[in-house]
Each structure stands twice: as C-alpha cells, then as structure tokens.
Amino acid sequence: MNTEQQARFRTIRVKVEAGERLSLDDGIFLYEPTVPLNEVGTLANLVRERKNGNVAYYNINTHLNPTNVCVYRCTFCAFRSDLRQPKGYVMSDEQILARGREAIENGCTEMHIVGGLHHQKKFDWYLNMVRILHEAYPQLHLKAWTAVEIDWFARLTGMSYKEVLKELVAAGLGSMPGGGAEIFHPEVRDQICEHKADARNWIEIHRAAHELGIRTNCTMLYGHVENAYHRVDHLLRLRDLQDQTGGFQVFIPLAFHPDNTGLSHLKKPSVLQDLRTMAVARLMLDNVAHMKAYWIMLGIQTAQTALWYGADDLDGTVRHELIYHDAGAETPEILSVDEICRLIRETGREPVERDTLYHKVHRDGSRWESGEPVAVGV
Ligand code: V47
Ligand code: SF4
C-alpha cells in the first residue's frame, strides 16, 4: 500500500473498531488487490469474533431439487434442463417422501428445497410437496423456494407475494433460502439472468417474508462478469433491507463454478478472491449475524480458512447437492458429523450444531430438540 492507501486503511480500521458503518467507497477500496488480504481478513475476524466468539456453526441437512426443468436460461447455470432434454427429471411424490424418510433416519434437522421452474407444473405441485413432507415429517424444517420461485408462483397464480407465502407457511414452509439474488445491479443481471425476478422483485419478496415473520437467508453469486462496485452495491442493498426488517439470518457468498455453463470460458474465482469476498461481506454487512462458508462450493480447505476471514458457519453435512456438482464442484457429496466437527476443530474453532433458525441442537441418541438461540454479539 502507498502512504495514501495506508492512511485510508487506518481510517477504515478505526471505524470498524468503533463499530461504525463502512461506505460504498470503503468496500470498493477493500477489494483493491494492493490492500493486503491479511489485513482485511484480520479486520473481518474482529467483527466475526465480536458477533460469534470462537464458535463455528454447522447443521445436519439434506438437499432436494425436485426438478431441474426450468423455463429460464441463466447463463451461469449448469443444473437446468429443457423440457425434452434427456437430462431433465421430475421427482414423484413417492421419491420426495423417500428423501424425507432418509433425512429423518440420518438425523437431519433441515431439508433445503430449490429447483427449476417447470414449464408445465402449477403452483399446487410445489405447494403439495411442502404439505406432504411436513405432514409426514413435522420435525424436519423445510427451508424452501428462493425468491425467484416465489416470483414465479405469483406470476402463475396472479396472487400477491404475501398470499403465496401465506399458503406455503400454512402447508409447512419453515424459512426461505437465499438463492436467486445473483448480482442485483442491472449491468450484470441483464447479462446473466435477464428474464427472471429482478433486484426489486427479490428484495420485495424477502421484505414480504420478513413482514410475515419468515426468516430468510441472502446470497451473492460472484466471480463471473461483475466488478467490485457491483459486489459492494449488492451488499449495500441487502444491508438496507436488513436495517428495515432484521429478517436475514445469514449471508452466503456463492463462488461461481463455470463448468458446463454458458460462461465456461471464465475461470473460477481464486482462493484469494473467495477469502476477500468473505471478509469484505463480513465488514459491510454489520447488521447480519452470520456468514456462511459453503464448503460445497468453496472447497473444504478454503471454507476452513474462511473461518478466520469472517465466516462463522460451514452450512451442513449436505446430501444430494446437484447445482454445484453439475457445474464442476469437486467437493465430496456429503460430510459426516464427525468429519465436519474435525474440520472445524482443526482450525481452532469450536463446533456447535444449530438448527435452521440458529438455535442450538441438543441430541440424545437418535432424538433431538432445538434449544436456546445461539448468542450473537453486536
Ligand atoms: O441462486 C447456480 C447459484 C444458487 C451456479 O440459503 C451457482 O442456506 C455457482 O442459493 N456456480 C442456489 N453458483 C444455491 C443457494 C444456496 C446454497 C446453499 C445454501 C443456501 C442457503 C442457499 O446457486 C443460485 C445461484 O446463485 N448457482 N449455478 C454455478 N454454476
Ligand atoms: Fe433456472 Fe435457477 Fe438455473 Fe436460473 S439458476 S436457469 S432459474 S434453475
């Protein structure tokens, strides 16, 4: 760093130490490669430890992608299929219920459900899936449907976002995942997913969910055609909504995986970019309690390192993940509880099992119950 940059960094450090907010320009500055990653990481770790101490959270979860057939054609997506392509599939109710049974037998507390927007399936198909799973396995928390899917259901039915969400909650929906956010700025969004829900739709759906008491997650897909300005702008839009509602539980930066996508000429982001993005996000999103290092897409070693660059959560044991594995992720398809705890301890952090809503999980043999909310500092 030159002298001017050193002075700028000192000002940012003072702000972070005092718990003051960083600006758009501060965030863009922290992305400059000449600002040492270690310094940004150390600042992010300060906030991480202030909020979450030495704990690293994980959960025991499974994924369900009921169909990969999708009307949209996001250029970054390797998972989707056309209606008549051989790789297209639609799961039956029996297959879906079998996944629920398998989840319970394996001690899962959560099922993460997202998929394609099938050309011929009505809202009732998606709604019924939530209902049958919830009726059969009421203890399994259903974290289901991204804002892109909620927007699609509203288009299919003519209902408002809140009406759609209320029906899903009545059927058994527990919370919403953070997917579909990609990059909000239209300069990027128009290039990678021009047809699906835009930034305004995404934000309004999460606002509607928060107003109904539904907790949600938030994400950012980085490492493709966006630049530092687009990333920090995205984080600030999330921070603004969080100021208004407080409904986001965790932010998950999603590293782009190019294999088998319309952007396969791009390289996947480097470990340095992964760690810097985690750290800058931790620093900008001062009002979000948790940062998730999603090991499936970061790779295990980067996810472990990220626990010292702002992250306090490794997501879960995960079974049946398809979206990243279709796009070239080389991580295993599942980690055992022993492995995930060992990986956390290896970093010097203390593993704690949480449920989807960030309550501690207490286990007694094959039985489990959610306990107290995890403590989060300011
Ligand atoms: O919206 C799709 C991303 C998202 C690729 O809320 C890709 O706890 C990288 O949102 N390379 C879906 N990313 C996954 C998601 C998620 C994952 C884990 C936890 C949670 C949570 C949410 O996956 C999509 C898109 O942003 N995605 N294709 C790809 N080739
Ligand atoms: Fe469809 Fe989602 Fe893939 Fe976009 S990211 S093409 S909406 S499955």
Side-chain angles (χ1 to χ4, degrees):
M1 282 194 285
N2 60 31
T3 339
E4 194 192 320
Q5 286 179 314
Q6 283 173 4
R8 181 105 195 256
F9 190 80
R10 270 198 301 277
T11 312
I12 291 179
R13 183 187 297 131
V14 170
K15 278 198 197 175
V16 172
E17 284 169 355
E20 279 173 34
R21 249 194 183 172
L22 300 187
S23 66
L24 176 78
D25 286 345
D26 291 336
I28 295 172
F29 172 73
L30 292 173
Y31 260 114
E32 282 183 22
T34 47
V35 178
L37 173 61
N38 265 2
E39 305 250 9
V40 184
T42 303
L43 268 194
N45 191 50
L46 181 80
V47 178
R48 181 253 193 255
E49 292 190 353
R50 205 187 268 157
K51 286 191 187 287
N52 292 291
N54 197 40
V55 169
Y57 298 101
Y58 68 93
N59 75 345
I60 304 188
N61 66 346
T62 186
H63 284 216
L64 176 74
N65 306 125
T67 180
N68 62 352
V69 174
C70 189
V71 293
Y72 294 128
R73 290 170 174 274
C74 304
T75 54
F76 56 79
C77 180
F79 165 72
R80 76 166 296 283
S81 167
D82 285 337
L83 196 54
R84 286 178 230 297
Q85 261 178 309
K87 77 175 270 209
Y89 70 84
V90 179
M91 289 172 75
S92 66
D93 286 357
E94 291 69 32
Q95 288 172 316
I96 288 166
L97 283 169
R99 284 292 185 81
R101 191 165 54 247
E102 180 196 53
I104 292 296
E105 283 167 6
N106 286 286
C108 293
T109 62
E110 167 189 292
M111 184 179 265
H112 169 115
I113 312 175
V114 296
L117 294 322
H118 193 286
H119 306 52
Q120 295 165 340
K121 295 291 181 193
K122 303 213 161 49
F123 175 48
D124 276 353
W125 183 68
Y126 297 86
L127 183 66
N128 187 50
M129 199 181 307
V130 173
R131 184 177 296 119
I132 60 175
L133 278 167
H134 183 64
E135 279 174 6
Y137 307 108
Q139 214 188 357
L140 190 62
H141 180 105
L142 304 177
K143 181 180 74 172
W145 313 130
T146 68
V148 170
E149 285 152 326
I150 303 296
D151 177 72
W152 179 245
F153 303 154
R155 291 183 202 204
L156 284 179
T157 58
M159 292 195 288
S160 69
Y161 294 148
K162 277 198 175 157
E163 285 165 344
V164 168
L165 289 166
K166 279 184 190 165
E167 290 222 12
L168 287 166
V169 170
L173 177 129
S175 66
M176 277 172 60
E182 325 312 0
I183 288 281
F184 290 140
H185 201 290
E187 276 167 18
V188 175
R189 206 167 182 89
D190 290 352
Q191 291 180 58
I192 60 171
C193 54
E194 62 172 328
H195 297 297
K196 73 182 185 186
D198 63 12
R200 198 181 53 83
N201 301 139
W202 194 99
I203 292 283
E204 288 316 311
I205 288 165
H206 282 260
R207 184 197 305 284
H210 297 170
E211 284 174 0
L212 292 173
I214 305 168
R215 305 304 303 272
T216 73
N217 298 345
C218 52
T219 60
M220 173 174 78
L221 176 68
Y222 67 92
H224 41 92
V225 298
E226 87 292 357
N227 61 32
Y229 162 71
H230 299 126
R231 279 178 230 138
V232 181
D233 169 75
H234 185 96
L235 296 173
L236 291 191
R237 294 185 201 215
L238 295 174
R239 189 170 81 180
D240 277 355
L241 180 62
Q242 182 73 340
D243 274 346
Q244 295 165 46
T245 65
F248 289 131
Q249 312 194 91
V250 56
F251 172 75
I252 311 129
L254 298 170
F256 175 54
H257 276 256
D259 291 2
N260 309 316
T261 73
L263 298 172
S264 57
H265 56 287
L266 298 178
K267 276 210 204 120
K268 70 173 187 187
S270 68
V271 175
L272 301 181
Q273 283 170 293
D274 292 335
L275 294 176
R276 194 180 287 267
T277 297
M278 182 64 76
V280 174
R282 180 59 289 171
L283 290 165
M284 299 307 298
L285 294 175
D286 56 358
N287 52 3
V288 176
H290 303 286
M291 297 280 131
K292 195 186 275 189
Y294 186 37
W295 62 267
I296 289 267
M297 46 137 269
L298 284 178
I300 288 170
Q301 292 176 358
T302 307
Q304 281 182 300
T305 315
L307 293 178
W308 289 90
Y309 283 77
D312 59 278
D313 190 312
L314 279 193
D315 195 73
T317 45
V318 184
R319 346 179 126 236
H320 302 299
E321 200 288 327
L322 290 179
I323 295 177
Y324 291 96
H325 287 97
D326 281 359
E330 286 163 7
T331 42
E333 217 219 306
I334 184 167
L335 286 177
S336 68
V337 175
D338 286 351
E339 278 168 315
I340 211 163
C341 290
R342 185 185 59 75
L343 293 171
I344 291 172
R345 285 204 188 91
E346 211 171 62
T347 69
R349 300 298 194 188
E350 179 202 338
V352 169
E353 185 187 346
R354 60 157 178 92
D355 67 9
T356 313
L357 301 177
Y358 286 84
H359 293 78
K360 285 192 184 160
V361 171
H362 301 288
R363 289 192 179 263
D364 178 12
S366 61
R367 294 161 53 84
W368 63 270
E369 60 180 25
S370 291
E372 64 286 12
V374 305
V376 177
V378 282

